[in-house]
Amino acid sequence: MGSLVRRDDDVDINQPLVPESTSHLGSKASATEEEDQETSKQLASRIWIETRKLWKIVGPAIFSRVVSYSMNVITQAFAGHLGEVELAAISIANTVIVGFNFGLLLGMASALETLCGQAFGAKRYRMLGIYLQRSWIVLFLCCFLLLPLYIFASPILKLLGQPDDVAESSGLVACWLIPLHFSFAFQFPLQRFLQSQLKNIVIAWVSLAGLLVNVLMSWLLIYVFDFGLVGAAVSLDVSWWVLVFGLYGYTVCGGCPLTWSGFSMEAFSGLWEFLKLSAASGVMLCLENWYYRILILMTGFLQNATLAVDALSVCMTINGWELMIPLAFFAGTGVRVANELGAGNGKAAKFATIVSVTQSSVIGVFFCVLIMILHNKIAYIFSSDTDVLEAVDKLSILLAVTILLNSVQPVLSGVAVGSGWQAMVAYINLGCYYIIGLPLGILMGLVFKFGVMGIWGGMVFGGTAVQTLILAVITIRCDWEKQAEIAQQRVAKWSSTPKQEDDQTEVQN
């Protein structure tokens, strides 16, 4: 019987009397918490790694885009002392003639973001050089087709209602900007070629060199040698060709040993398919590029058009500067998505999209709030006229909304470029911008007499917002694993030679 008696000293009085089942639940809860913490750490690590990859492209891209945007502004500023007609001439030549062709050629070159990005992800490194040469051929030939816009710039501008003296001076500038026009055919593909290999820092340094040359040449040719409008045009020609030779020199002189193996006759094969993809890319981007240019033209039909144009120009300038950030995310997202899809990593492409959209949106919200806080002060940068200040103040809410939408829309367009959806997005842009947005802007602004706010509001909410919503739905519903398969099939189709020993080689960035 004594063996059946439990003595008090057999019990640890400090040990809590917990049922066995409760103890197991506690250990399971602890394990779950540890798993959650580990998952959170892994997610934070993935976000940090993706952020580093993304900003390796976005950071230099912001800098190079701001520099490129500034070169034309600097030349116009130097030309400002020549007179109102001369300043208007170079501004119109840059905005209307060069701007029209710039958007189309830039869009056509973005086909390389799809092809080079996916080929790089698939480690078909040699094909990047072939794609680059094909793009040079296609864009160079396209430059000849667009040449009449420069040669006949004067009569075209007169038809658009410009005064004869401004149209004649703009036509002179346009003819002297023909070398600039042809530089686009080489510079844009070189930028996309290097960007797809994460070599954006090279583009940034070369852009800085081009900016310094632009400042020096503008000062010499306009102020020192007094070449007037011709000097302003030549300074732009020289500075943009500095970008071409700088990027080309880096590419062929050992900067890209894996992706540049010299000129090849293979570049002349598959040009028709390449042209179709380039054309789709060009239409996709130029429809966006022309949209807000049309906004400014439409404002000229309003009563008190001078004040409306002045206020809208202030808002568009601010929007243009801030837009360099989303456009850099456009480039970064396109490269990251294309690289991951080319490597067959659909989930990684989806994750890159989420990180990019989130970070760009946060930046957009920041600037949106900043505009709302400084709504009655932002115009002081450009004007002290009371009427202009009041007009800009009224438009500040639309400026804030536009900046917010622009923080998302270009990123989603970058996803489309990285995935090769250019043709589909071109149709979406056509429908949203020109079938919905533009008629709604005309209706609100000119028919219902809401003025510039009606025009801009109709185009923003009817065009940009609808397009952003459609692209968001398409991206959310995307089957990323299927897109990875399509990307690999595209790489195999467009590669004229099999993989050699590239799979065992790491790219030195």
Side-chain angles (χ1 to χ4, degrees):
M1 291 294 292
S3 62
L4 297 176
V5 177
R6 187 176 186 183
R7 298 179 303 175
D8 290 338
D9 55 41
D10 291 335
V11 181
D12 184 359
I13 61 175
N14 296 318
Q15 181 68 30
L17 297 176
V18 181
E20 185 177 358
S21 59
T22 306
S23 177
H24 281 307
L25 287 174
S27 62
K28 289 181 179 178
S30 300
T32 302
E33 289 179 3
E34 291 178 1
E35 290 176 1
D36 290 343
Q37 291 177 358
E38 185 64 27
T39 301
S40 297
K41 289 180 181 179
Q42 291 177 355
L43 179 60
S45 176
R46 288 183 64 197
I47 292 174
W48 173 244
I49 292 172
E50 179 59 38
T51 298
R52 289 180 60 187
K53 291 180 179 179
L54 180 65
W55 278 90
K56 188 175 182 180
I57 307 168
V58 171
I62 292 174
F63 178 81
S64 59
R65 277 166 169 73
V66 169
V67 166
S68 297
Y69 185 83
S70 300
M71 285 202 296
N72 289 344
V73 176
I74 288 172
T75 298
Q76 290 179 25
F78 273 108
H81 85 289
L82 298 175
E84 291 184 2
V85 172
E86 288 79 2
L87 180 57
I90 193 166
S91 299
I92 291 172
N94 266 320
T95 303
V96 180
I97 305 301
V98 176
F100 178 89
N101 298 287
F102 181 95
L104 182 60
L105 293 172
L106 181 66
M108 293 182 70
S110 71
L112 286 184
E113 295 186 33
T114 303
L115 297 174
C116 286
Q118 293 183 358
F120 186 79
K123 299 184 180 180
R124 301 284 184 99
Y125 300 131
R126 181 178 175 275
M127 290 309 302
L128 272 73
I130 303 299
Y131 295 151
L132 173 64
Q133 294 171 57
R134 287 176 184 169
S135 187
W136 280 342
I137 295 169
V138 170
L139 265 67
F140 184 68
L141 294 176
C142 186
C143 280
F144 281 101
L145 295 178
L146 296 172
L147 207 53
L149 291 175
Y150 288 84
I151 297 174
F152 301 107
S154 290
I156 291 173
L157 292 172
K158 289 177 182 178
L159 286 175
L160 293 175
Q162 293 296 325
D164 288 349
D165 54 349
V166 173
E168 292 293 339
S169 298
S170 298
L172 174 66
V173 174
C175 289
W176 279 96
L177 288 177
I178 289 175
L180 168 69
H181 171 64
F182 278 94
S183 75
F184 297 156
F186 300 96
Q187 187 214 343
F188 293 158
L190 279 165
Q191 283 184 337
R192 272 76 194 147
F193 169 77
L194 294 170
Q195 182 176 282
S196 299
Q197 305 171 61
L198 312 182
K199 295 181 180 293
N200 284 63
I201 192 65
V202 177
I203 301 173
W205 282 112
V206 172
S207 298
L208 178 60
L211 178 64
L212 296 176
V213 170
N214 177 253
V215 173
L216 177 61
M217 293 298 297
S218 296
W219 176 71
L220 285 175
L221 297 179
I222 297 174
Y223 281 170
V224 178
F225 296 111
D226 198 23
F227 287 155
L229 281 175
V230 173
V234 171
S235 66
L236 282 174
D237 295 336
V238 172
S239 55
W240 278 84
W241 274 100
V242 166
L243 301 181
V244 174
F245 287 117
L247 298 177
Y248 176 77
Y250 175 84
T251 299
V252 303
C253 295
C256 304
L258 296 177
T259 55
W260 178 262
S261 55
F263 292 99
S264 172
M265 292 300 295
E266 293 177 41
F268 291 93
S269 63
L271 284 178
W272 177 243
E273 291 295 324
F274 196 96
L275 176 61
K276 288 194 292 185
L277 180 61
S278 296
S281 301
V283 171
M284 169 187 156
L285 289 186
C286 72
L287 287 176
E288 297 180 13
N289 186 50
W290 297 338
Y291 191 52
Y292 286 104
R293 296 179 189 275
I294 294 174
L295 169 60
I296 296 177
L297 291 175
M298 287 174 58
T299 306
F301 292 99
L302 299 174
Q303 293 181 352
N304 199 4
T306 302
L307 177 60
V309 170
D310 287 344
L312 189 60
S313 297
V314 170
C315 292
M316 288 295 103
T317 301
I318 295 172
N319 181 61
W321 275 334
E322 195 279 334
L323 189 60
M324 297 302 106
I325 298 175
L327 287 179
F329 273 94
F330 165 86
T333 307
V335 171
R336 289 294 303 128
V337 169
N339 285 170
E340 297 297 350
L341 290 180
N345 300 327
K347 291 182 179 179
K350 179 181 179 180
F351 187 74
T353 299
I354 294 172
V355 171
S356 185
V357 170
T358 302
Q359 294 187 5
S360 181
S361 298
V362 169
I363 295 173
V365 169
F366 169 78
F367 280 104
C368 177
V369 172
L370 189 64
I371 292 296
M372 294 303 295
I373 293 173
L374 302 176
H375 62 94
N376 58 346
K377 298 180 177 65
I378 53 177
Y380 278 110
I381 305 172
F382 306 95
S383 176
S384 58
D385 185 272
T386 304
D387 292 335
V388 174
L389 296 175
E390 291 179 358
V392 172
D393 185 17
K394 293 179 181 178
L395 293 175
S396 61
I397 181 65
L398 285 175
L399 175 61
V401 172
T402 302
I403 286 175
L404 185 60
L405 288 173
N406 282 343
S407 68
V408 179
Q409 183 270 332
V411 183
L412 297 178
S413 293
V415 175
V417 169
S419 305
W421 304 338
Q422 287 95 326
M424 176 183 66
V425 177
Y427 287 114
I428 293 173
N429 290 353
L430 180 63
C432 293
Y433 288 148
Y434 297 93
I435 296 178
I436 300 175
L438 192 58
L440 184 59
I442 294 173
L443 187 67
M444 298 297 292
L446 302 180
V447 178
F448 291 112
K449 307 296 183 182
F450 285 107
V452 67
M453 287 195 69
I455 297 174
W456 192 1
M459 293 177 73
V460 167
F461 294 106
T464 308
V466 173
Q467 185 233 25
T468 303
L469 180 61
I470 293 174
L471 290 180
V473 171
I474 292 173
T475 303
I476 291 170
R477 300 184 62 182
C478 174
D479 185 342
W480 290 100
E481 295 303 325
K482 182 178 179 181
Q483 291 300 318
E485 293 177 6
I486 294 173
Q488 291 183 308
Q489 292 171 4
R490 181 184 291 113
V491 171
K493 173 186 175 182
W494 286 69
S495 298
S496 56
T497 57
K499 281 195 291 184
Q500 300 174 351
E501 298 178 359
D502 294 335
D503 291 337
Q504 288 76 34
T505 311
E506 287 189 14
V507 179
Q508 301 297 323
N509 294 318

